[in-house]
């Protein structure tokens, strides 16, 4: 079974701190495409995007 790693940090954007998370397989496959997911904005939780991290191992 393939394992995944996650990196979390903040970037500064227009005076605000924006949290981000990168999920990727430990062994990269150059044939796979990158998937960028952006949630709905302030006040909207990001929990509904968490199941998408399983795509990193597919």
């Amino acid at each position: 079974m393939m394992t995944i790693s996650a990196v979390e940090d903040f970037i500064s954007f227009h005076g605000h701190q924006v949290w981000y998370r990168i999920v990727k397989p430990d062994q990269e496959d150059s044939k796979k495409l990158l998937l960028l997911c952006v949630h709905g904005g302030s006040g909207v939780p990001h929990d509904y995007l968490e199941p998408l991290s399983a795509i990193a191992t597919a």
Side-chain angles (χ1 to χ4, degrees):
M1 180 174 199
M2 188 179 294
T3 60
I4 58 174
S5 298
V7 176
E8 299 178 6
D9 205 351
F10 291 89
I11 59 171
S12 184
F13 181 75
H14 290 273
H16 300 278
Q17 293 295 314
V18 179
W19 175 80
Y20 69 89
R21 182 176 189 213
I22 299 171
V23 178
K24 65 178 189 167
D26 291 332
Q27 183 179 0
E28 294 188 27
D29 183 351
S30 62
K31 297 176 184 175
K32 293 187 178 184
L33 297 174
L34 175 68
L35 174 65
L36 173 66
C37 300
V38 181
H39 77 83
S42 61
V44 177
H46 67 279
D47 299 5
Y48 67 96
L49 293 175
E50 288 181 6
L52 295 176
S53 64
I55 293 173
T57 61

